Amino acid sequence: MCGIVGYTGKKQAAPILLEGLSKLEYRGYDSAGVAVRNNKGKHEIVKTNGKLSVLSDKLKKGKALKGTCGIGHTRWATHGMPSEVNAHPHSNDDQTIVAVHNGIIENYVELKEKLTSKGYTFYSETDTEIATKLVDYYYKKWKSPLEAMVSFTLRVRGSYAIAVMFEDYPEEIYIARKDSPLIVGVADEGSFVASDVPAILKYTRNVYYVDNMEIARIEKGKATFYNVDRKVIEKQPVKIDWDADAAEKGGYKYYMLKEIREQPRAVTDTLNSLIKDGKIDLSEAGLSDEKLSSFKRIRIAACGSAYHVGMVAKYVIEDLARIPVDVDVASEFRYRSPVYGENELVVVISQSGETADSLEALRGAKAAGVATLAIVNVLGSAIAREADNVIYTKAGPEISVATTKAYSAQLIVSYALAVQLALINGKIDEDRYAQLIDEMLALPASMEKILSDDEWLKWFASKIANKKDVYFIGRGIDYAICLEGSLKLKEISYIHSDAYAAGELKHGHISLIEEGTLVIGLITQMRLAEKAVSNLSEVKTRGAQIMSVTLEGNYSLQEHSEFTFYVPKTEAYFTTSLAVIPLQLLSYYVCVAKGLDVDMPRNLAKCVSVE
Ligand code: GLU
């Protein structure tokens, strides 16, 4: 999982590569490097350990390297520690071939043995160096970059997006991909290769998506695509309608705050794409009412926050539509052997659409002949391409590693699915249907209200920034909200936190409560409120400090809670969309108070395209 950028054109390559990489740093940021071909046709490699800013300084913002063709990489190490020597680009022994790679070459051990027997030696611990030398081996054998890339594609197993420069072909970049994203843009200034759209949005909105097992030759102002039979493939560019500013920080210090504040817009855009003339219409995703009515069971597979959306969806779909729903973390689902019945639907949720475990869960379901639906944010991503049906969330580019707006947009899709299933299965009448849709449409305004009232959260965050342990407790949907609140806090502030179903506390977890332990209680499900309040009271009597999040009008918590945040009332099914916002903001402000890097928390990357 990393970011790749390539450029060949009229301009100096290094500044363009650095700028493109800065838009991809969310994909990995433990080391970075570029290779630029100078006017003598030789490539020069500069790489550094650490974040991209270190590389940028070393390159004097790109001025230190001259040349109009180059490739760059920001790494998230899988094979070999983050270090300068392991950073990409990697080259062959005679420095005539240089490559950057995203993904994992699974048969790298076998390939290394083979190449070693042919006299190759290795300077790094990466699978990428092996990949580069494999390309070198085939190039020396076939004397053709296309043949070398085809042979490479047929020989390696695993996932890769690879960009290669051959000294004999100045001003050209060759690329290939399988299961890791790669796009191409052709503009007046030149041609671009990148892992994701924001890297090239400044230059072009017309993007070619490279498919699995495809190869492309990138020249100035031209891109030619091939399949492994060496046949030219005619491709149409996809027009990207994202606002260029949407991929920038827009005045905020961190993307995360910008993205938290963009949630009403992300939700509105997603609602607009799902609701037509007052009715939910999923036909664009290939889900006619007739088709939807055929599903008798739903299984959701997802990772991280998307899994938490699945948890909310389970509560809402089961209660509203009376269809059984199972939710699994995708990394478990893919290695189980689920017993599928008739008329099942497997739903995979992923912001990037490249999440490796979710992709494999999808493939497993497809191989078993089960209908699949993807809920993804990134157009043309692997999961979107492979699923039978796709609903796109309209969150726009999400850069901060900790998801906020994509999570909120995914929630909306799950509500729409639940409400539509409820109607077509005869569980609700038209009036209730219209009422639920109205409540969904009212969510963005309520979100705005919460966002305009965050001073208290800032204050409370500064008080709790030194906590060692925080527990989130809730019942029903509130438990699902707790899971997300807890993940948000731990991933960016490094405070240990956990979420518990409030009724489970007394079965063990309550022993963790001591004087001053912070317990955050979520109480938006009023039918369970009394029970949840009792659980808060149990931890308070054991010394816990209590914060709670509840609905406006529920003032019964005041005597238990040191700090209560009220969110506007809405339909019980949809409270997650509101109650999660104070938890996101709290995590954000705790992280800022601790002086940590909000957008790039340690050890994490945005798009988890490795197992
Ligand atoms: N497997 C390669 C490495 O460890 C690439 C990892 C990545 O996608 O960043 O260098």
Side-chain angles (χ1 to χ4, degrees):
M1 166 167 47
C2 73
I4 288 179
V5 183
Y7 171 76
T8 179
K10 300 177 193 158
K11 297 190 163 183
Q12 286 299 309
I16 292 177
L17 297 177
L18 285 174
E19 195 192 3
L21 289 176
S22 73
K23 305 285 183 330
L24 300 180
E25 227 186 344
Y26 70 90
R27 300 179 62 85
Y29 39 80
D30 58 42
S31 50
V34 295
V36 173
R37 197 186 295 285
N38 63 26
N39 55 15
K40 296 192 191 81
K42 288 273 173 209
H43 67 250
E44 241 178 286
I45 297 176
V46 178
K47 33 193 202 176
T48 53
N49 200 17
K51 288 190 181 164
L52 189 64
S53 55
V54 184
L55 180 70
S56 181
D57 288 349
K58 189 164 174 183
L59 285 174
K60 305 204 165 25
K61 297 199 163 43
K63 291 196 202 85
L65 269 186
K66 298 284 173 231
T68 56
C69 178
I71 51 181
H73 187 268
T74 171
R75 183 173 181 237
W76 190 81
T78 65
H79 291 59
M81 297 275 290
S83 68
E84 192 168 314
V85 70
N86 286 335
H88 305 203
H90 288 284
S91 66
N92 62 347
D93 290 341
D94 54 18
Q95 304 288 318
T96 53
I97 290 177
V98 62
V100 290
H101 156 237
N102 165 207
I104 290 177
I105 307 294
E106 284 173 2
N107 54 338
Y108 74 99
V109 175
E110 166 207 333
L111 293 173
K112 189 171 184 180
E113 274 168 19
K114 176 193 152 123
L115 290 167
T116 306
S117 73
K118 305 269 177 211
Y120 282 86
T121 55
F122 297 89
Y123 58 83
S124 77
E125 300 159 273
T126 62
D127 50 344
T128 305
E129 187 194 350
I130 297 164
T132 309
K133 289 181 175 170
L134 187 68
V135 173
D136 177 68
Y137 169 76
Y138 287 126
Y139 180 68
K140 291 203 160 85
K141 185 165 172 189
W142 304 118
K143 314 275 183 285
S144 147
L146 179 61
E147 285 302 327
M149 297 301 279
V150 169
S151 300
F152 169 86
T153 300
L154 296 175
R155 189 68 180 80
V156 296
R157 290 200 306 275
S159 59
Y160 55 85
I162 186 165
V164 189
M165 295 196 298
F166 297 83
E167 187 177 288
D168 298 338
Y169 292 79
E171 303 181 346
E172 294 185 13
I173 301 171
Y174 284 79
I175 59 173
R177 81 165 280 247
K178 183 177 160 287
D179 295 343
S180 295
L182 206 54
I183 55 159
V184 171
V186 178
D188 288 346
E189 290 91 340
S191 303
F192 301 81
V193 174
S195 302
D196 197 1
V197 172
I200 65 172
L201 209 50
K202 184 168 160 192
Y203 301 99
T204 180
R205 292 179 167 277
N206 294 322
V207 164
Y208 297 91
Y209 285 87
V210 185
D211 274 317
N212 272 349
M213 310 286 278
E214 285 181 1
I215 292 149
R217 174 186 185 185
I218 314 297
E219 298 166 88
K220 282 185 186 176
K222 190 176 165 194
T224 318
F225 300 91
Y226 302 88
N227 61 20
V228 280
D229 294 324
R230 298 120 182 118
K231 298 247 167 22
V232 171
I233 308 164
E234 293 303 333
K235 259 188 203 291
Q236 289 308 316
V238 174
K239 184 139 183 75
I240 303 293
D241 57 7
W242 288 353
D243 178 356
D245 282 350
E248 304 286 340
K249 273 197 197 128
Y252 288 96
K253 186 156 183 230
Y254 292 107
Y255 283 112
M256 185 178 177
L257 187 58
K258 174 174 178 267
E259 289 163 5
I260 288 173
R261 294 195 175 279
E262 282 172 348
Q263 290 182 106
R265 207 244 337 115
V267 165
T268 302
D269 290 353
T270 305
L271 283 167
N272 288 343
S273 72
L274 299 173
I275 299 174
K276 312 263 156 63
D277 301 325
K279 302 227 175 304
I280 294 165
D281 179 357
L282 305 177
S283 57
E284 241 175 62
L287 293 173
S288 62
D289 284 356
E290 195 191 340
K291 186 151 186 198
L292 278 175
S293 66
S294 70
F295 299 127
K296 301 293 171 234
R297 183 183 193 103
I298 294 177
R299 292 168 193 269
I300 301 175
C303 307
S305 296
Y307 168 74
H308 300 154
V309 171
M311 289 288 290
V312 177
K314 176 180 168 68
Y315 284 110
V316 179
I317 296 173
E318 287 193 337
D319 205 66
L320 255 179
R322 308 303 298 146
I323 296 175
V325 180
D326 291 318
V327 194
D328 259 304
V329 283
S331 54
E332 288 299 315
F333 185 85
R334 63 179 287 196
Y335 290 114
R336 284 203 290 119
S337 38
V339 183
Y340 294 111
E342 296 266 291
N343 303 318
E344 297 204 1
L345 174 69
V346 167
V347 180
V348 170
I349 309 174
S350 163
Q351 187 283 129
S352 67
E354 303 288 342
T355 317
D357 287 317
S358 304
L359 180 58
E360 287 307 320
L362 174 80
R363 287 177 177 164
K366 281 191 78 179
V370 180
T372 55
L373 164 67
I375 301 173
V376 297
N377 195 39
V378 178
L379 199 79
S381 53
I383 291 175
R385 282 200 310 268
E386 293 191 25
D388 301 327
N389 307 282
V390 187
I391 302 178
Y392 284 105
T393 46
K394 302 286 179 185
E398 190 178 64
I399 309 295
S400 186
V401 166
T403 181
T404 51
K405 62 176 181 168
Y407 167 87
S408 284
Q410 290 163 356
L411 282 176
I412 295 298
V413 175
S414 70
Y415 302 158
L417 197 58
V419 172
Q420 194 64 6
L421 284 167
L423 180 76
I424 58 185
N425 286 348
K427 303 298 175 197
I428 52 172
D429 62 17
E430 292 284 348
D431 286 350
R432 178 76 174 126
Y433 180 72
Q435 187 191 20
L436 287 165
I437 289 177
D438 283 349
E439 284 289 340
M440 284 168 70
L441 292 170
L443 287 171
S446 299
M447 294 171 106
E448 292 285 8
K449 195 165 171 233
I450 298 168
L451 289 166
S452 65
D453 187 23
D454 69 344
E455 279 304 312
W456 282 100
L457 286 164
K458 210 184 214 169
W459 165 80
F460 191 68
S462 68
K463 285 184 56 167
I464 64 162
N466 292 327
K467 292 279 179 204
K468 294 275 174 284
D469 305 287
V470 177
Y471 300 107
F472 291 74
I473 63 170
R475 286 172 177 256
I477 288 175
D478 286 331
Y479 170 50
I481 305 173
C482 287
L483 289 168
E484 178 60 8
S486 168
L487 179 65
K488 219 66 336 173
L489 184 68
K490 75 179 87 161
E491 67 184 335
I492 61 170
S493 76
Y494 315 147
I495 293 176
H496 165 251
S497 73
D498 261 316
Y500 299 127
E504 261 302 279
L505 276 182
K506 55 190 170 296
H507 297 290
H509 313 298
I510 202 164
S511 67
L512 296 168
I513 304 298
E514 47 191 50
E515 198 60 39
T517 306
L518 178 63
V519 175
I520 301 182
L522 267 286
I523 301 186
T524 71
Q525 302 300 299
M526 297 322 288
R527 103 194 140 82
L528 300 167
E530 282 183 4
K531 308 253 174 245
V533 170
S534 303
N535 299 131
L536 279 181
S537 169
E538 284 157 17
V539 290
K540 190 179 159 95
T541 51
R542 287 160 178 85
Q545 178 188 11
I546 310 286
M547 167 185 169
S548 49
V549 177
T550 191
L551 301 181
E552 281 170 2
N554 176 27
Y555 301 115
S556 64
L557 283 164
Q558 271 165 352
E559 62 177 285
H560 300 281
S561 178
E562 180 170 318
F563 176 69
T564 307
F565 192 92
Y566 296 95
V567 298
K569 278 192 183 147
T570 182
E571 188 61 57
Y573 297 121
F574 307 148
T575 58
T576 313
S577 294
L578 305 182
V580 78
I581 296 177
L583 304 183
Q584 296 167 340
L585 286 165
L586 186 71
S587 302
Y588 172 81
Y589 286 125
V590 167
C591 184
V592 171
K594 292 182 79 168
L596 298 169
D597 187 338
V598 178
D599 290 330
M600 293 188 216
R602 69 185 177 203
N603 305 339
L604 293 173
K606 180 74 182 161
C607 163
V608 188
S609 55
V610 293
E611 282 192 45

